[in-house]
C-alpha cells in the first residue's frame, strides 16, 4: 500500500517510533480516507441537534458532507449530502427543519428518510419509468446513538458501536453524563465552531489521546490563569492523572481522580455556579462513593473524535481536509438542568479555553501547524517521531478499564499515542473488518 | 444629513450638521487611534480605551435561508468565536506579553484598515453619553514567513464618554466567514 510496504512497517511499537510519512505522505492520506474514514465509526452529531422529525444538521464524515436528520418515524438517519441525479450538494444550510430536501439543480426532492419522492417530468421524460426506490439518498451503513451522541459508519461489516468503543465506554459515560453522577442529561451549548488549521488531522487525535508532555506548551496561559476559579492555571484542581488505552481499539483516554473527601473549588466570579458544582459534588459522592472523583480530562475515540471530559466539556472532531489541512468542529456541553447562570458562566470559560480564540488551544494549533510543515521535507521525512515515554509501563487498574499508566509516570507516558498508531496501521493494512477483528484478537 | 439625502443645509440646521460632522470626526479619530495602538502592539494602552464593563463579542455566522427571521448570527447566549469581558481581554494581553504564547511568538504583523465609520441610530442626541457607531474592518495578519490571513467584516460599537474622553463599551464583531479560515484568533478586532 505504501511503496509496496505495509503501514505496520511505519510504526515501531517496541522502539516507540513512528515514521513521518504517516503525517505528510499524500498517498497514505488518500488511503486513510478509504481505509479509516470509510470504515471506522465516526462521531456525526448530537441528538439535541435533531430533536423533532424533519430537523437536520449538516455534518461531515471524512472529507464528505453528510445530512443528519430525523425521519418521520422519529429515527435519526444520515445521508451523503449529494444528489443522485448529477451530484449537486442537496443541502447547503448548516441546520434547519424541512419536510423535503429539494435539490437546487434539477429539482429532485428527497424525504427525510432518504427516499426520492419528486422527479421533474417523471411521467413524461422517462420511458420506461425508472425505479425511484433505487435512487434515494446514499445512506450510512450503520448509525448508533449513545448518551445523546450520534455515530455512523459506511461499513456494514463494522462491529456494533458499543463493541467498537471497548474500554473507552466509561469515558463517554463520564464525559457525557451529568455532573451529579445521576441520570440527568447533558445538552449541547449552542452552535458549532468550525475552523481550518494547516495540520495533519492526527496531531489533533494524538494530542487528545494522551500527550502529557505537551503541557509545557501551555505555559503562557497557565501563567495568566484562565480557569473557572480565576487563579493560576487553566482548570480546576483535578487530582491525579491516569492514562488509559483501549489497546485493541486504539482509543486513548486521560482520566483524573480526586479522592472522595476532597472539596471542590469556589468560583469567585459566580456564586451560583459555585453552589451548583458543590451540590453536584455532594450528590456525586453520595451516589458513587470512592469513584465519584473519577473524571475524563481528555480523550480520543479512534480515529478523530476527541473530547474534554470535565472543565471544559467539549467534543472536537478533526475532519481531514488534505494531508496538511484539518477542519476542526467543536461543540460544548452543559448539564441540561443547570441554571442559566451556570451555563453562561461555563460558556464564557469554555470559549476562552478552546476554539480558535481559546487561549489554550491557540498554542496547540501553532504547534500542529509547524510540526506538519517542518516534517514535509525530503530529509525531514527520513527521521521518525519519538514516542518512547513510558515504554512498557502500563498495567491494570482497580476500576479504570484498559491499559493504565498512573502518576507519576502518566505525565510522561506516550502509551496512548503508541496504541493509536498501532490501530492506525491495522486499519491501513486490513482489507476488511474481518481482518481488522482478527488483528485485534491476535 | 446622516441619511444621505442631498439637501442644501441652511440656517439653524447648519449648527446641528456641523456638530454631527465634528462628532463623526472625533469618533473616526478614536477608532483610527485604537487601530494604531493595536498595530503598534501597544496593547496595554489599548486596554485603557475600554470601559470596565465592556462586552467584546464576536458571534458566529451561519448558512441560513434568506428569509430566516433569526438571521445568520448566533445569539447573545450562544457559542461565539469570542465573548470577552475586560478581565479576559486583559488576560489575552498579558498572555501575549509572557513571551511564551507560541501562537503569537514570533509576533505577527497585523494591519487594521477601518472604514465606513458612521454614527448609527440617528435618533440618538448628539450630546448623549453613549453613541452607537458602525464601521468595517479589514484585518490583515502575516506571520512567520508566508502565513497570511485576511479577515473582513463589520463592527458595531457602543462608545461612552467618560470624563470627556470616548471609551469603547461594547463591540460586536461580525466576521464575514462561516468556517473560519484562520487557524486562530489571537488578534483583536
Ligand atoms: S443534480 Fe440534483 S436534481 Fe439534478
Ligand atoms: Fe493542549
Amino acid at each position: 500500500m505504501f511503496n509496496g510496504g505495509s503501514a505496520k512497517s511505519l510504526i515501531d511499537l517496541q522502539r516507540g517510533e513512528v515514521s513521518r510519512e504517516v503525517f505528510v505522505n499524500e498517498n497514505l492520506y488518500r488511503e486513510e480516507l478509504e481505509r479509516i474514514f470509510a470504515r471506522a465509526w465516526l462521531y456525526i452529531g448530537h441528538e439535541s441537534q435533531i430533536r423533532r422529525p424533519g430537523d437536520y444538521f449538516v455534518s461531515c464524515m471524512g472529507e464528505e458532507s453528510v445530512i443528519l436528520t430525523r425521519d418521520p418515524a422519529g429515527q435519526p438517519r444520515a445521508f451523503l449530502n449529494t444528489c443522485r441525479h448529477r451530484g449537486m450538494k442537496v443541502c447547503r444550510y448548516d441546520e434547519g427543519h424541512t419536510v423535503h430536501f429539494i435539490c437546487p439543480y434539477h429539482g429532485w426532492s428527497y424525504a427525510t428518510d432518504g427516499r426520492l419522492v419528486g422527479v421533474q417530468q417523471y411521467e413524461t421524460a422517462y420511458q420506461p419509468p425508472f425505479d425511484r426506490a433505487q435512487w434515494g439518498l446514499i445512506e450510512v451503513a450503520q448509525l448508533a446513538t449513545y448518551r445523546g451522541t450520534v455515530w455512523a459508519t459506511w461499513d456494514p461489516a463494522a462491529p456494533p458501536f458499543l463493541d467498537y468503543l471497548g474500554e473507552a465506554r466509561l469515558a463517554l459515560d463520564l464525559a457525557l453524563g451529568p455532573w451529579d453522577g445521576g441520570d440527568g442529561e447533558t445538552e449541547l451549548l449552542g452552535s458549532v465552531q468550525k475552523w481550518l488549521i494547516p495540520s495533519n488531522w492526527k496531531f489533533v487525535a494524538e494530542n487528545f489521546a494522551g500527550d502529557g508532555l505537551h503541557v509545557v506548551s501551555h505555559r503562557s496561559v497557565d501563567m495568566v490563569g484562565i480557569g473557572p476559579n480565576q487563579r493560576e492555571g487553566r482548570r480546576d484542581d483535578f487530582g491525579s492523572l491516569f492514562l488509559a488505552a483501549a489497546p485493541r481499539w486504539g482509543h486513548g483516554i486521560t482520566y483524573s481522580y480526586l479522592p472522595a473527601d476532597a472539596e471542590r473549588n469556589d468560583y469567585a466570579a459566580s456564586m451560583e455556579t459555585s453552589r451548583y458544582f458543590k451540590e453536584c459534588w455532594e450528590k456525586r459522592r453520595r451516589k458513587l462513593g470512592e469513584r465519584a472523583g473519577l473524571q475524563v480530562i481528555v480523550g480520543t475515540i479512534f480515529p478523530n473524535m476527541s473530547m474534554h471530559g470535565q472543565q471544559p466539556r467539549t467534543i472536537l472532531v478533526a475532519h481531514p481536509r488534505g494531508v496538511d489541512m484539518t477542519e476542526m468542529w467543536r461543540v460544548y456541553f452543559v448539564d441540561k438542568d443547570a441554571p442559566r447562570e451556570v451555563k453562561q458562566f461555563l460558556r464564557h470559560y469554555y470559549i476562552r479555553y478552546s476554539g480558535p480564540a481559546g487561549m489554550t488551544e491557540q498554542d496547540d494549533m501553532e504547534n500542529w501547524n509547524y510540526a506538519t510543515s517542518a516534517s514535509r521535507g525530503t530529509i525531514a521525512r527520513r527521521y521518525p517521531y519519538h514516542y518512547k515515554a513510558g515504554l512498557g509501563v502500563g498495567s491494570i487498574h482497580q476500576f479504570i478499564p484498559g491499559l493504565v499508566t498512573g502518576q507519576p509516570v502518566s505525565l510522561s507516558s506516550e502509551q496512548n499515542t503508541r496504541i493509536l498508531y498501532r490501530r492506525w496501521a491495522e486499519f491501513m493494512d486490513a482489507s476488511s473488518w474481518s481482518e481488522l477483528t482478527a488483528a485485534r484478537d491476535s | 444629513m446622516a441619511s444621505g439625502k442631498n439637501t442644501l443645509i441652511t440656517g439653524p440646521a447648519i449648527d446641528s450638521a456641523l456638530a454631527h460632522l465634528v462628532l463623526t470626526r472625533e469618533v473616526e479619530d478614536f477608532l483610527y487611534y485604537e487601530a494604531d495602538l493595536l498595530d503598534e502592539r501597544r496593547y496595554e494602552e489599548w486596554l485603557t480605551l475600554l470601559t470596565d464593563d465592556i462586552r467584546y463579542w464576536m458571534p458566529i455566522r451561519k448558512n441560513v435561508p434568506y428569509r430566516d427571521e433569526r438571521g445568520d448570527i448566533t445569539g447573545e447566549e450562544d457559542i461565539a468565536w469570542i465573548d470577552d469581558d475586560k478581565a479576559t481581554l486583559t488576560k489575552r494581553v498579558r498572555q501575549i506579553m509572557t513571551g511564551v504564547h507560541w501562537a503569537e511568538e514570533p509576533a505577527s504583523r497585523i494591519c487594521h484598515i477601518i472604514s465606513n465609520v458612521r454614527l448609527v441610530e440617528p435618533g440618538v442626541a448628539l450630546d448623549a453619553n453613549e453613541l452607537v457607531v458602525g464601521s468595517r474592518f479589514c484585518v490583515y495578519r502575516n506571520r512567520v514567513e508566508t502565513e497570511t490571513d485576511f479577515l473582513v467584516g463589520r463592527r458595531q460599537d457602543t462608545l461612552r464618554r467618560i470624563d470627556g474622553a470616548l471609551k469603547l463599551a461594547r463591540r460586536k464583531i461580525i466576521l464575514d466567514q462561516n468556517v473560519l479560515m484562520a487557524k486562530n484568533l489571537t488578534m483583536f478586532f
Side-chain angles (χ1 to χ4, degrees):
Chain A
M1 54 139 315
F2 167 69
N3 289 346
S6 69
K8 208 173 173 181
S9 68
L10 301 170
I11 314 287
D12 188 336
L13 272 189
Q14 264 64 50
R15 297 164 69 142
E17 294 178 7
V18 175
S19 166
R20 296 190 187 208
E21 297 288 350
V22 170
F23 301 84
V24 299
N25 185 287
E26 295 273 354
N27 297 331
L28 281 174
Y29 172 74
R30 271 186 287 278
E31 287 287 327
E32 285 179 336
L33 296 180
E34 186 73 46
R35 291 176 176 256
I36 296 176
F37 290 95
R39 297 203 292 209
W41 280 97
L42 303 174
Y43 171 89
I44 58 168
H46 194 266
E47 288 201 84
S48 62
Q49 292 168 308
I50 48 161
R51 287 184 198 281
R52 299 167 301 157
D55 284 357
Y56 66 86
F57 168 71
V58 174
S59 185
C60 186
M61 294 171 73
E63 287 191 349
E64 291 172 277
S65 179
V66 163
I67 303 171
L68 171 63
T69 184
R70 196 177 286 279
D71 71 17
Q75 291 304 308
R77 308 281 289 263
F79 307 99
L80 199 65
N81 191 0
T82 183
C83 182
R84 293 297 303 279
H85 180 240
R86 204 80 88 245
M88 175 64 188
K89 189 169 185 177
V90 174
C91 182
R92 291 162 305 134
Y93 303 115
D94 294 340
E95 66 211 9
H97 179 87
T98 194
V99 179
H100 294 134
F101 296 103
I102 301 174
C103 179
Y105 201 171
H106 312 90
W108 284 22
S109 57
Y110 302 90
T112 53
D113 58 7
R115 276 179 308 121
L116 174 62
V117 292
V119 174
Q120 195 195 166
Q121 300 180 20
Y122 181 71
E123 273 75 28
T124 52
Y126 303 96
Q127 302 299 338
F130 70 95
D131 181 7
R132 281 178 292 191
Q134 300 301 313
W135 292 86
L137 291 174
I138 298 156
E139 185 162 17
V140 297
Q142 300 184 62
L143 184 146
T145 58
Y146 190 71
R147 281 186 173 265
T149 55
V150 187
W151 304 72
T153 171
W154 292 112
D155 197 331
F161 178 66
L162 284 182
D163 290 1
Y164 181 91
L165 262 186
E167 297 94 333
R169 180 174 177 175
L170 174 66
L172 280 195
D173 288 340
L174 292 173
L176 299 168
W179 269 99
D180 65 6
D183 305 320
E185 286 175 41
T186 50
E187 66 177 8
L188 278 195
L189 183 56
S191 300
V192 188
Q193 291 179 329
K194 306 174 186 175
W195 74 108
L196 285 168
I197 63 170
S199 161
N200 184 269
W201 65 271
K202 291 185 294 299
F203 278 107
V204 189
E206 69 150 64
N207 185 276
F208 282 87
D211 179 3
L213 288 168
H214 95 287
V215 168
V216 67
S217 72
H218 294 307
R219 203 153 71 81
S220 68
V221 75
D222 285 337
M223 287 161 75
V224 166
I226 59 158
N229 57 34
Q230 301 279 321
R231 291 195 295 271
E232 278 246 308
R234 43 204 156 99
R235 295 197 177 124
D236 279 341
D237 302 334
F238 46 65
S240 39
L241 294 176
F242 296 86
L243 283 168
R248 295 171 158 192
W249 302 97
H251 317 312
I253 310 296
T254 303
Y255 291 95
S256 60
Y257 181 72
L258 207 57
D261 56 3
E263 290 305 320
R264 293 220 65 101
N265 286 309
D266 282 322
Y267 301 151
S270 168
M271 290 324 293
E272 171 113 23
T273 309
S274 287
R275 192 169 60 234
Y276 180 73
F277 277 103
K278 278 195 189 305
E279 280 171 16
C280 287
W281 180 230
E282 283 312 314
K283 287 188 200 158
R284 195 177 176 97
R285 282 201 287 214
R286 276 200 298 276
K287 189 166 162 85
L288 300 174
E290 61 167 354
R291 295 184 187 211
L294 186 67
Q295 297 275 6
V296 171
I297 291 279
V298 292
T300 290
I301 304 298
F302 186 89
N304 68 334
M305 179 279 204
S306 296
M307 60 187 133
H308 279 113
Q310 49 164 9
Q311 296 260 48
R313 190 151 49 156
T314 83
I315 286 178
L316 168 68
V317 192
H319 296 297
R321 291 289 182 271
V323 69
D324 55 4
M325 191 62 78
T326 299
E327 190 169 314
M328 309 273 270
W329 285 29
R330 193 185 271 294
V331 289
Y332 298 85
F333 290 88
V334 285
D335 287 357
K336 192 173 179 187
D337 297 330
R340 175 175 160 271
E341 184 182 325
V342 173
K343 292 180 182 177
Q344 289 302 306
F345 176 84
L346 291 174
R347 181 178 70 93
H348 280 107
Y349 168 55
Y350 290 171
I351 65 175
R352 74 172 175 261
Y353 189 107
S354 296
M359 293 166 69
T360 306
E361 196 143 69
Q362 288 175 351
D363 289 325
D364 288 319
M365 296 181 291
E366 184 78 2
N367 287 318
W368 303 334
N369 175 355
Y370 284 97
T372 301
S373 62
S375 297
R376 236 179 340 228
T378 306
I379 307 301
R381 61 172 81 191
R382 292 177 190 166
Y383 295 86
Y385 289 161
H386 186 287
Y387 293 86
K388 296 177 193 286
L391 266 175
V393 175
S395 61
I396 288 171
H397 186 270
Q398 173 193 6
F399 50 75
I400 301 173
L403 177 70
V404 179
T405 301
Q407 252 182 357
V409 190
S410 70
L411 285 177
S412 57
S413 174
E414 288 166 321
Q415 66 159 44
N416 286 8
T417 40
R418 286 191 294 272
I419 281 167
L420 183 139
Y421 290 114
R422 182 174 72 185
R423 191 57 174 162
W424 177 87
E426 287 168 4
F427 261 89
M428 295 293 278
D429 286 336
S431 62
S432 68
W433 255 107
S434 56
E435 261 182 59
L436 265 171
T437 310
R440 81 185 159 77
D441 285 338
S442 63
Chain B
M1 181 179 178
S3 67
K5 266 185 266 154
N6 197 9
T7 44
L8 196 63
I9 304 164
T10 53
I14 197 119
D15 290 338
S16 96
L18 281 175
H20 188 279
L21 188 65
V22 168
L23 184 61
T24 304
R25 272 300 299 133
E26 186 190 5
V27 164
E28 285 173 342
D29 202 53
F30 174 83
L31 294 178
Y32 301 158
Y33 174 62
E34 186 206 359
D36 280 351
L37 292 183
L38 289 174
D39 294 348
E40 292 165 16
R41 300 178 197 142
R42 293 156 64 188
Y43 295 121
E44 286 178 304
E45 288 173 73
W46 176 70
L47 287 172
T48 67
L49 300 186
L50 316 179
T51 65
D52 290 339
D53 63 346
I54 186 173
R55 182 179 188 193
Y56 178 93
W57 178 44
M58 186 178 198
I60 296 171
R61 305 291 295 283
K62 292 199 176 181
N63 291 302
V64 300
Y66 193 79
R67 292 174 197 282
D68 194 322
E69 300 129 22
R70 290 166 306 169
D72 70 346
I73 294 173
T74 51
E76 302 260 346
E77 298 194 351
D78 197 343
I79 290 297
W81 292 125
I82 302 169
D83 196 350
D84 280 357
D85 55 12
K86 179 104 175 235
T88 304
L89 289 167
T90 304
K91 284 172 195 278
R92 288 186 192 279
V93 166
R94 283 180 46 212
Q95 187 183 24
I96 293 170
M97 291 167 51
T98 60
V100 288
H101 180 27
W102 307 115
E104 275 302 320
E105 207 56 59
S108 298
R109 292 161 287 276
I110 298 172
C111 182
H112 287 72
I113 298 171
I114 305 299
S115 76
N116 302 38
V117 177
R118 200 169 76 80
L119 307 183
V120 296
E121 300 191 5
V124 172
L126 293 183
D127 58 353
N129 198 32
E130 290 199 346
L131 293 162
V132 179
V133 177
S135 61
R136 299 284 194 284
F137 65 84
C138 295
V139 176
Y140 169 87
R141 174 177 64 180
N142 175 272
R143 64 177 276 97
V144 190
E145 290 161 313
T146 57
E147 205 188 326
T148 301
D149 296 294
F150 196 56
L151 298 166
V152 180
R154 284 176 288 148
R155 303 188 303 194
Q156 189 173 77
D157 294 340
T158 301
L159 303 185
R160 187 183 305 152
R161 198 177 288 286
I162 298 175
D163 299 332
L166 291 176
K167 303 266 181 196
L168 183 64
R170 183 182 152 101
R171 173 161 287 166
K172 179 178 179 182
I173 304 148
I174 304 167
L175 178 70
D176 286 334
Q177 289 188 2
N178 172 249
V179 175
L180 179 70
M181 293 164 73
K183 70 180 177 194
N184 64 35
L185 294 168
T186 54
M187 68 295 261
F188 300 102
F189 288 86

